[in-house]
């Protein structure tokens, strides 16, 4: 453990800024994916292990649109919307059949979907990894130097986009009728049905929104690296850690937990480069011991 | 009840016997009684997930060679039958697939096209069974360097970490001298191969160019999508050079993400696994001047036989061979020669034939363009190792320098002595 390196980093403006900016970018990308996962769990009570596969689909869809149109913005938006629509079909055809089923049945269904989608993308797009969609031309400029810390402008864009998404999610969930119905569905769906609300529509809408967020995360990730079958498997573990730390079902909790994980990875790489994954799990264990419902979860 | 009683037991037996007899007569003898004369080779490899393309390139290379063998009459009419199965890159699955090859398929030999973790599992299976095994993918030196792991019936046809490390370090030393690179960092995947590669590279670099400083090491996990925490560390430390053994999609993501920080403007990247067609063609705007070992490129070795190999493969499959392809091709080439020369599939005779055997090959840089299976550790030597710099378009590499096998052999001995394996 290089604790002195961490101390040196914290007192150096260049290191502090670059690691903080890096941590923020890691956290915000993670938030896009984890927020969808926590939303689906909070409202529908489904642990959607196939969420990572939806993230992968977002990357592939955006790659396809980019290949056809060459337009970055369109590729990202279509990638996210495409996965949203796929999520709607997934929910209507499969997920709604297991809402009240045993947890093992839900996991089995999701795992089957992961295997099918992983193979399906290889059949459609080939088994070789694909070059990502790249960074839009406007951001292909030299990085910014702030107190000698290097910050790529595209990373700032990713953080801003994610912040806007977080704000919109908060507005939707707290200020709109749909948000109120979603929260009511999470608390007492039977009462809502008795009042004449079609909760199936609400549930499908929530799953669609969760899928959209996974797709958006995947599409943005495709701009920063290669696109490959199975790429969702690594992000799903981190997303679950975020969900557990933040509190199952809490979007605010997912936001805070994502930043914590981003910072843990960024500063952990300075202090304990061989234990960055371990730090994430350690934080999760600490939260589970001290506040089992998560940082912003509700006690049941 | 009436309808059931109408079919007496005797009637059912008669009918069943008649159907069975008809099937038997129609198809000759049951398959199990047929004399199966083919030479069977089991190939456990990775056909799904992130590196499936590499497993497929192994299958392509093997098929190219066995189709030639079979179409030229085989061995007295006996054809080679490849049985290729997916291990999903899991050691326990690779071991299970291998046991099935041996116990159920009764294979004559195994061409093991598994990554390092699974190769150790396969080695233990063939040690027990005595089945002939050709490792064609794993690069972890220990598989054949550690005498406690070796077995008489297993041979390595893949690159070996220590060989590449010495070749890499010698090349890096020339660039250090030329550009005055003092401060180093490394980024390697956090598993056996990455650690082995990091250790051996810096061990060898110390021999050629002592006095460098290591500012830090990044250990991203395999298949990690985001390398920001490692890249910010590099941006902060501003090393003169970086050594990496990341590979495939991981290397592509690392280079794409690091380019956003302008890392390669002032820092030399030594990426041992970059110069494979699948990787280079996937990097967005491949920066010029990155250093890489020649995993497989048609441009190196610069010989007609290598260019012909690339052309034959590309004509058949519409894509260039990979590093895994050439290793599999050389392995099957040896096996076919051994089968022909010994006149069968006796594993002891084939093993004796292979030990110390020197053979002409498109990847050979020994005398007369040969590679050799070294007698004492049954591992391939004198295969092509080159380092050069990238250019954004085909042939993707220039300024290629060949590694010197005398130096490799000398330092390998020293390394083996250090490890207590000699």
């Amino acid at each position: 453990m290089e604790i002195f390196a961490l101390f040196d980093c914290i007192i150096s403006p260049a290191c502090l800024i670059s690691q903080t900016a890096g941590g923020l970018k890691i956290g915000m990308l993670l938030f896009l994916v984890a927020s969808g996962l926590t939303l689906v769990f909070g409202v529908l009570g489904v642990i959607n292990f196939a969420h990572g596969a939806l993230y992968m689909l977002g990357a592939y869809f955006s790659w396809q649109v980019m290949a056809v149109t060459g337009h970055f913005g369109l590729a990202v938006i279509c990638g996210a919307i495409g996965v949203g629509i796929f999520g709607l079909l997934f929910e209507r055809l499969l997920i709604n059949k297991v809402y009240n089923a045993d947890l093992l049945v839900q996991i089995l269904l999701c795992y089957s979907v992961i295997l099918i989608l992983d193979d399906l993308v290889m059949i459609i797009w080939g088994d070789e990894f694909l070059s990502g969609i790249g960074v839009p031309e406007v951001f292909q400029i030299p990085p910014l130097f702030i107190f000698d810390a290097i910050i790529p402008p595209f990373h700032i864009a990713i953080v801003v986009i994610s912040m806007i998404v977080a704000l919109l999610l908060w507005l939707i969930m707290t200020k709109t009728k749909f948000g109120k119905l979603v929260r009511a569905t999470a608390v007492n769906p039977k009462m809502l049905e008795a009042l004449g609300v079609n909760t199936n529509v609400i549930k499908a809408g929530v799953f669609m929104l969760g899928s959209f967020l996974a797709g958006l995360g995947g599409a943005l990730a495709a701009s920063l690296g290669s696109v490959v079958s199975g790429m969702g498997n690594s992000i799903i573990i981190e997303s679950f850690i975020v969900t557990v730390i933040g509190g199952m079902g809490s979007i605010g909790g997912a936001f805070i937990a994502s930043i914590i994980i981003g910072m843990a990875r960024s500063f952990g790489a300075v202090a304990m480069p061989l234990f960055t994954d371990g730090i994430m799990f350690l934080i999760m264990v600490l939260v589970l011991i001290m506040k089992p419902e998560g940082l912003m979860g509700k006690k049941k | 009840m009436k309808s059931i009683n109408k079919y007496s037991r005797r009637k059912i037996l008669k009918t069943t016997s008649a159907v069975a007899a008809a099937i038997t007569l129609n198809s000759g003898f049951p398959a199990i009684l047929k004399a199966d004369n083919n030479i069977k080779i089991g190939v456990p490899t990775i056909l799904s997930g992130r590196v499936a393309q590499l497993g497929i390139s192994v299958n392509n290379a093997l098929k190219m060679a066995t189709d030639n063998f079979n179409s030229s009459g085989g061995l007295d009419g006996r054809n080679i039958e490849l049985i290729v199965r997916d291990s999903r890159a899991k050691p326990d699955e690779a071991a299970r697939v291998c046991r099935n090859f041996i116990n159920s398929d009764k294979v004559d030999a195994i061409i093991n096209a598994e990554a390092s973790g699974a190769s150790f599992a396969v080695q233990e299976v063939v040690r027990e069974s005595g089945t002939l095994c050709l490792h064609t993918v794993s690069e972890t030196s220990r598989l054949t360097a550690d005498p406690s792991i070796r077995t008489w019936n297993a041979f390595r046809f893949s690159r070996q970490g220590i060989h590449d490390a010495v070749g890499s370090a010698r090349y890096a030393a020339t660039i250090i001298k030329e550009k005055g690179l003092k401060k180093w960092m490394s980024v390697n995947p956090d598993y056996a191969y990455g650690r082995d590669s990091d250790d051996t590279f810096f061990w060898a670099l110390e021999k050629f160019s002592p006095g460098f400083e290591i500012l830090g090491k990044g250990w991203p996990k395999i298949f990690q999508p985001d390398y920001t925490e490692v890249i910010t560390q590099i941006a902060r430390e501003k090393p003169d050079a970086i050594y990496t053994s990341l590979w495939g999609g991981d290397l592509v993501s690392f280079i794409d993400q690091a380019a956003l920080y302008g890392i390669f403007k002032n820092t030399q990247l030594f990426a041992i696994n970059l110069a494979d067609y699948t990787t280079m063609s996937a990097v967005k705007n491949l920066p010029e001047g990155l250093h890489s070992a020649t995993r497989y490129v048609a441009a190196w070795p610069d010989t007609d036989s290598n260019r012909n190999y690339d052309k034959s493969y590309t004509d058949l499959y519409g894509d260039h061979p990979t590093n895994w392809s050439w290793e599999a091709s050389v392995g099957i080439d040896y096996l076919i020669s051994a089968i022909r020369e010994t006149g069968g599939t006796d594993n002891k005779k084939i093993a004796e034939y292979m030990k110390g055997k020197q053979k002409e090959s498109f990847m050979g840089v020994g005398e007369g363009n040969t590679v050799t299976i070294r007698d004492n550790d049954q591992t391939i030597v004198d295969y092509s190792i080159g380092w050069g710099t990238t250019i954004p378009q085909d042939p993707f590499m220039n300024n290629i320098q060949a590694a010197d096998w005398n130096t490799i052999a000398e330092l390998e001995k020293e390394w083996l002595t250090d490890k207590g394996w000699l």
Side-chain angles (χ1 to χ4, degrees):
Chain A
M1 183 169 163
E2 296 170 43
I3 199 75
F4 292 112
L6 180 63
F7 181 73
D8 287 347
C9 179
I10 290 168
I11 59 169
S12 148
C15 183
L16 188 65
I17 292 169
S18 74
Q19 296 307 118
T20 305
L24 207 55
K25 178 241 157 188
I26 296 169
M28 285 295 92
L29 261 183
L30 190 55
F31 167 73
L32 287 179
V33 187
S35 58
L37 186 69
T38 203
L39 183 68
V40 167
F41 178 79
V43 179
L44 309 178
V46 173
I47 299 182
N48 182 17
F49 271 96
H51 200 69
L54 299 177
Y55 162 90
M56 173 192 71
L57 270 191
Y60 272 99
F61 285 173
S62 63
W63 182 91
Q64 188 60 58
V65 177
M66 188 70 181
V68 173
T69 66
H71 193 285
F72 180 86
L74 200 61
V76 171
I77 291 167
C78 288
I81 292 174
V83 178
I85 294 167
F86 179 86
L88 178 67
L89 296 172
F90 180 26
E91 194 276 341
R92 284 295 82 199
L93 297 173
L94 296 170
I95 285 288
N96 74 54
K97 310 278 190 294
V98 296
Y99 278 144
N100 300 312
D102 189 72
L103 177 67
L104 280 176
V105 177
Q106 292 182 357
I107 292 173
L108 195 65
L109 172 69
C110 291
Y111 189 58
S112 312
V113 170
I114 292 171
L115 294 178
I116 291 167
L117 289 180
D118 280 358
D119 280 351
L120 207 59
V121 296
M122 282 206 283
I123 291 167
I124 298 170
W125 284 282
D127 38 48
E128 204 171 315
F129 58 83
L130 304 171
S131 168
I133 62 173
V135 174
E137 213 168 309
V138 67
F139 290 109
Q140 288 175 11
I141 50 173
L144 303 175
F145 287 83
I146 302 171
F147 287 105
D148 216 19
I150 304 173
I151 302 174
F154 187 59
H155 286 192
I156 297 173
I158 285 179
V159 171
V160 170
I161 290 169
S162 304
M163 294 275 191
I164 291 170
V165 170
L167 185 68
L168 284 175
L169 263 181
W170 178 76
L171 287 172
I172 289 170
M173 297 308 286
T174 57
K175 306 286 178 195
T176 65
K177 190 182 172 191
F178 175 73
K180 282 176 191 162
L181 288 171
V182 167
R183 283 182 289 142
T185 306
V187 176
N188 196 341
K190 284 205 164 61
M191 176 61 78
L192 220 57
E193 280 162 19
L195 292 171
V197 176
N198 186 348
T199 54
N200 284 336
V201 175
I202 306 291
K203 287 174 180 173
V206 166
F207 201 88
M208 191 178 175
L209 181 59
S211 305
F212 171 88
L213 291 167
L216 184 61
L220 286 174
S223 64
L224 292 166
S226 56
V227 176
V228 68
S229 168
M231 65 187 280
N233 298 344
S234 51
I235 198 84
I236 192 72
I237 296 168
E238 289 183 6
S239 300
F240 271 112
I241 293 173
V242 164
T243 306
V244 171
I245 293 174
M248 302 285 241
S250 166
I251 289 175
F255 184 80
I256 292 167
S258 296
I259 293 175
I260 290 173
I261 293 298
M263 294 302 166
R265 274 186 53 188
S266 188
F267 285 96
V270 176
M272 289 182 274
L274 283 169
F275 196 63
T276 46
D277 281 357
I279 297 171
M280 289 192 309
F281 286 104
L282 206 63
I283 294 170
M284 185 176 79
V285 169
L286 285 175
V287 169
L288 281 174
I289 292 169
M290 297 168 77
K291 206 166 182 297
E293 68 277 14
L295 295 176
M296 292 182 72
K298 287 182 183 135
K299 271 189 180 170
K300 284 185 180 170
Chain B
M1 288 301 284
K2 200 179 173 186
S3 60
I4 292 172
N5 286 341
K6 148 172 106 169
Y7 299 105
S8 66
R9 193 166 52 180
R10 184 163 296 182
K11 200 168 182 179
I12 290 170
L13 276 172
K14 270 184 184 171
T15 315
T16 314
S17 307
V19 170
I23 291 170
T24 307
L25 286 172
N26 197 33
S27 60
F29 289 100
I32 201 163
L33 296 177
K34 274 186 183 172
D36 190 351
N37 210 22
N38 281 349
I39 298 163
K40 288 185 180 175
I41 298 175
V43 186
T45 190
I46 306 166
L47 296 170
S48 52
R50 200 154 175 161
V51 294
Q53 174 60 20
L54 292 174
I56 290 163
S57 77
V58 166
N59 185 37
N60 291 346
L62 295 176
K63 201 170 171 312
M64 192 162 85
T66 52
D67 282 353
N68 280 341
F69 175 83
N70 295 342
S71 62
S72 63
L75 179 77
D76 304 326
R78 290 177 75 190
N79 284 346
I80 290 181
E81 180 187 339
L82 289 172
I83 310 170
V84 185
R85 289 195 186 127
D86 185 14
S87 68
R88 305 196 306 276
K90 292 178 178 164
D92 54 341
E93 183 64 9
R96 192 191 66 77
V97 165
C98 241
R99 278 192 207 99
N100 274 353
F101 280 146
I102 295 162
N103 299 327
S104 306
D105 298 297
K106 311 282 182 205
V107 296
D108 297 293
I110 282 173
I111 290 185
N112 170 41
E114 293 287 348
S116 295
S119 288
F120 284 94
V122 169
Q123 178 87 343
E124 292 317 307
V125 173
V126 297
R127 184 200 303 284
E128 278 172 28
S129 68
T131 312
L132 188 76
C133 175
L134 281 64
H135 297 292
T136 65
V137 165
S138 168
E139 297 182 24
T140 303
S141 301
R142 200 167 160 237
L143 185 65
T144 47
D146 182 348
S148 68
I149 292 174
R150 273 184 229 140
T151 172
W152 66 271
N153 52 323
F155 295 79
R156 181 207 284 270
F157 285 87
S158 50
R159 292 177 181 279
Q160 190 175 161
I162 184 64
H163 297 164
D164 265 340
V166 175
S168 309
R170 191 166 190 229
Y171 171 82
T174 61
I175 308 296
I176 287 174
K177 202 172 169 191
E178 194 183 302
K179 297 183 189 280
L181 314 172
K182 284 276 176 207
K183 296 174 187 168
W184 282 74
M185 283 187 77
S186 67
V187 182
N188 292 294
D190 190 11
Y191 74 107
Y193 166 69
R195 283 163 192 264
D196 187 53
S197 183
D198 187 77
D199 282 351
T200 48
F201 173 76
F202 285 112
W203 176 86
L205 191 60
E206 186 67 43
K207 306 283 172 194
F208 292 111
S209 184
F212 59 87
E213 186 189 352
I214 298 176
L215 300 179
K217 294 186 178 191
W219 298 100
K221 60 180 186 284
I222 191 166
F223 304 156
Q224 182 170 314
D226 194 331
Y227 293 86
T228 305
E229 75 268 22
V230 178
I231 295 165
T232 49
Q233 207 182 344
I234 295 168
R236 197 181 65 249
E237 298 285 359
K238 299 186 179 64
D240 299 323
I242 303 164
Y243 172 75
T244 182
S245 61
L246 290 174
W247 52 282
D250 289 1
L251 180 59
V252 172
S253 297
F254 172 73
I255 292 176
D256 282 344
Q257 290 173 28
L260 288 179
Y261 283 80
I263 296 285
F264 305 125
K265 278 192 181 136
N266 301 312
T267 301
Q268 303 287 313
L269 180 74
F270 292 78
I272 193 166
N273 293 322
L274 177 57
D276 221 345
Y277 286 104
T278 46
T279 309
M280 286 187 294
S281 56
V283 176
K284 274 273 172 227
N285 307 319
L286 180 69
E288 196 164 346
L290 305 184
H291 305 275
S292 176
T294 53
R295 301 288 289 173
Y296 182 79
V297 285
W300 195 260
D302 187 13
T303 57
D304 283 340
S305 63
N306 182 38
R307 279 185 288 274
N308 289 340
Y309 172 74
D310 177 67
K311 189 175 181 312
S312 308
Y313 185 103
T314 310
D315 286 349
L316 268 175
Y317 303 113
D319 208 354
H320 289 287
T322 65
N323 183 60
W324 287 23
S325 309
W326 82 252
E327 293 170 325
S329 289
V330 174
I332 190 79
D333 195 26
Y334 257 81
L335 185 59
I336 286 174
S337 298
I339 289 169
R340 281 199 168 121
E341 292 295 321
T342 61
T345 53
D346 183 318
N347 54 0
K348 288 203 170 75
K349 282 184 185 167
I350 290 179
E352 268 317 303
Y353 171 88
M354 283 188 179
K355 282 173 88 166
K357 179 77 182 168
Q358 191 177 29
K359 197 171 185 318
E360 198 177 330
S361 167
F362 64 94
M363 282 298 276
V365 293
E367 201 182 334
N369 293 339
T370 54
V371 291
T372 300
I373 290 295
R374 203 162 45 189
D375 189 24
N376 62 329
D377 58 359
Q378 304 183 173
T379 189
I380 191 169
V381 290
D382 289 341
Y383 54 88
S384 165
I385 298 177
W387 269 80
T389 48
T390 53
I391 47 174
Q393 63 284 325
D394 207 5
F396 294 112
M397 295 284 289
N398 64 7
N399 306 321
I400 299 172
Q401 297 175 25
D404 171 36
W405 270 95
N406 290 328
T407 315
I408 291 174
E410 212 173 284
L411 277 183
E412 186 187 10
K413 260 187 195 166
E414 203 178 319
W415 178 76
L416 288 167
T417 311
D418 280 4
K419 290 272 177 193
W421 288 341
L422 198 64

